[in-house]
Amino acid sequence: MLIVMGAQATEADIEGVCARIESLGFRPHKMPGATRTAIGITGNPGAIDPVEFEDLPGVAEAIRVSKPYKLVSREVKKDNTEVRIGRGAHAAVIGGPDLVVIAGPCGVESREQAFEAAHAVKAAGAHLFRGGAYKPRTSPYTFQGLGEEGLRIMAEIRDQYGMKIITEAIDNESLELVEEYADVIQIGARNMQNFSLLRRAGRAKKPVLLKRGMSATLEEFLMAAEYIMSEGNYNVVLCERGVRTFADHTRNTLDLSLIPAVQRLSHLPILVDPSHGTGKRNKVTPMSRAAAAVGADGILVEVHNQPDKALSDGPQSLFPEQFDDLMVQVRQIAAVVGREIVPLRSYPPPVTDDAIESSQAR
């Protein structure tokens, strides 16, 4: 059920509807829009009679929601959701008029490596810095990330460069630390249907970026987002990162048709990850152009200062100069579809281990 409040409804009217919902044993979810507020209802095992709400002050109409995903659906909220990352001058908004670029290495391997990558992507125009402190890998013998030390390095990068940071949580324990350090909590493809982790992310106070599972349908993807929102966290960003098919010319098949499909059914913003989506360095820039052209709200790109020596996903990571070229081309495509990559602010020189130790000693 969706309760649509009238344009003149007061805050007291809205709270009155929420109180009625709670009195019935259900959970209200306030979804403010441009001109009026909608209130979604979850927790009801069956249909609710609209008469329960139609006569309450401020209520315009009560509508049954047909989709299995309620809070994610455009039936509940017609306006696009804009997810604000951070506050102040360096805040980024995903889902607004600007196209957002998130870039950085697959994994944080050392302070020097991470700072060099951060300097390069900031200089080229990235808004957020990505990097893995926890790495869910197919083999238990490969690099698994630096853990909390990696999170501390990313926090230093945020302080130094002004970029907000995004990193993946792989279980409830790591999510506690990621929530403490990061600005955005990433739920990776392998965990898209880890329902206990999704519920925990839904109780977090930070925005969540949810990646599509490797063989997930559109409905399964949206239902995973519903798990997060049903716990009260409405700052959810979706991310298409490719699905597994029979193709052998690419690591995954990047499904760009998902972007308009999601935008038709859901109000949530959606990004594209062309790095994991293809697994091939030479395919990242063309697919980034395509992501901008198809209407994605941003891209998530892997950039490493020395990809050939990377401890994870080196073949799909761009060299800094390749990322520079990508940004030039994506800016041009974004302009064609009425989007813009906002100009950069000033940035400091790269910081090495020696420089950090010297600064700490002073």
Side-chain angles (χ1 to χ4, degrees):
M1 180 69 69
L2 172 68
I3 312 301
V4 180
M5 304 300 294
Q8 306 303 319
T10 66
E11 189 62 33
D13 294 337
I14 295 170
E15 292 303 324
V17 172
C18 291
R20 172 65 66 87
I21 294 169
E22 290 172 346
S23 72
L24 296 172
F26 310 140
R27 183 171 182 175
H29 300 267
K30 291 188 287 187
M31 311 288 285
T35 59
R36 56 186 181 175
T37 294
I39 304 173
I41 302 174
T42 59
N44 50 306
I48 305 172
D49 191 340
V51 173
E52 291 281 354
F53 306 100
E54 287 175 342
D55 293 332
L56 294 179
V59 172
E61 58 181 330
I63 306 169
R64 287 193 173 94
V65 179
S66 61
K67 296 289 189 294
Y69 39 88
K70 312 298 182 185
L71 303 174
V72 168
S73 173
R74 278 206 186 273
E75 291 181 84
V76 169
K77 185 182 179 186
K78 294 190 180 298
D79 301 322
N80 291 336
T81 288
E82 295 185 4
V83 177
R84 181 172 293 274
I85 313 300
R87 298 179 180 178
H90 293 289
V93 177
I94 302 177
D98 299 324
L99 190 142
V100 173
V101 179
I102 304 171
C106 174
V108 176
E109 302 164 9
S110 69
R111 182 178 279 104
E112 184 171 6
Q113 167 256 355
F115 268 85
E116 287 186 9
H119 176 75
V121 301
K122 174 70 175 185
H127 303 97
L128 284 85
F129 182 76
R130 60 139 295 142
Y134 300 94
K135 298 301 302 174
R137 306 297 299 280
T138 302
S139 169
Y141 307 114
T142 52
F143 178 64
Q144 304 289 310
L146 299 180
E148 188 172 4
E149 175 60 22
L151 294 174
R152 284 195 288 264
I153 292 170
M154 294 188 71
E156 291 178 18
I157 286 172
R158 176 179 53 215
D159 294 341
Q160 184 77 11
Y161 290 97
M163 289 185 293
K164 305 305 179 185
I165 59 174
I166 173 172
T167 191
E168 183 173 355
I170 59 174
D171 51 31
N172 288 343
E173 182 181 0
S174 62
L175 196 147
E176 299 284 344
L177 283 170
V178 169
E179 183 181 9
E180 178 183 345
Y181 283 94
D183 300 291
V184 184
I185 301 165
Q186 177 179 311
I187 304 296
R190 290 178 174 86
N191 275 316
M192 191 207 78
Q193 289 187 312
N194 182 339
F195 300 120
S196 64
L197 184 62
L198 295 177
R199 289 189 184 279
R200 173 61 186 85
R203 296 190 294 272
K205 303 302 182 184
K206 300 288 181 66
V208 176
L209 184 142
L210 175 66
K211 287 194 168 186
R212 182 186 182 188
M214 287 180 279
S215 57
T217 65
L218 171 56
E219 183 170 302
E220 289 168 341
F221 190 24
L222 295 178
M223 289 300 294
E226 187 79 9
Y227 265 90
I228 299 170
M229 295 186 71
S230 69
E231 293 294 324
N233 189 343
Y234 308 129
N235 291 310
V236 178
V237 178
L238 304 174
C239 183
E240 161 61 24
R241 48 80 68 206
V243 291
R244 183 170 292 171
T245 68
F246 55 81
D248 59 5
H249 63 282
T250 182
R251 178 178 177 182
N252 295 295
T253 298
L254 189 60
D255 182 10
L256 292 180
S257 68
L258 186 82
I259 310 308
V262 164
Q263 292 170 335
R264 181 175 63 87
L265 297 173
S266 176
H267 54 87
L268 295 179
I270 181 164
L271 306 181
V272 170
D273 179 350
S275 299
H276 283 94
T278 65
K280 305 282 188 178
R281 187 178 301 139
N282 67 328
K283 294 181 172 65
V284 173
T285 295
M287 298 310 290
S288 295
R289 296 195 304 260
V294 81
D297 294 298
I299 54 174
L300 186 70
V301 181
E302 290 191 352
V303 182
H304 197 288
N305 54 312
Q306 294 181 300
D308 295 338
K309 297 181 180 180
L311 298 181
S312 60
D313 286 348
Q316 68 191 35
S317 299
L318 298 183
F319 288 88
E321 55 271 22
Q322 291 176 315
F323 183 64
D324 291 341
D325 292 338
L326 178 151
M327 291 295 288
V328 170
Q329 296 179 39
V330 171
R331 279 193 180 94
Q332 294 171 339
I333 298 296
V336 173
V337 295
R339 305 296 280 267
E340 182 183 3
I341 298 177
V342 295
L344 279 176
R345 301 178 186 276
S346 60
Y347 56 90
V351 178
T352 64
D353 287 339
D354 291 341
I356 292 172
E357 291 172 2
S358 175
S359 174
Q360 291 172 341
R362 289 197 297 270

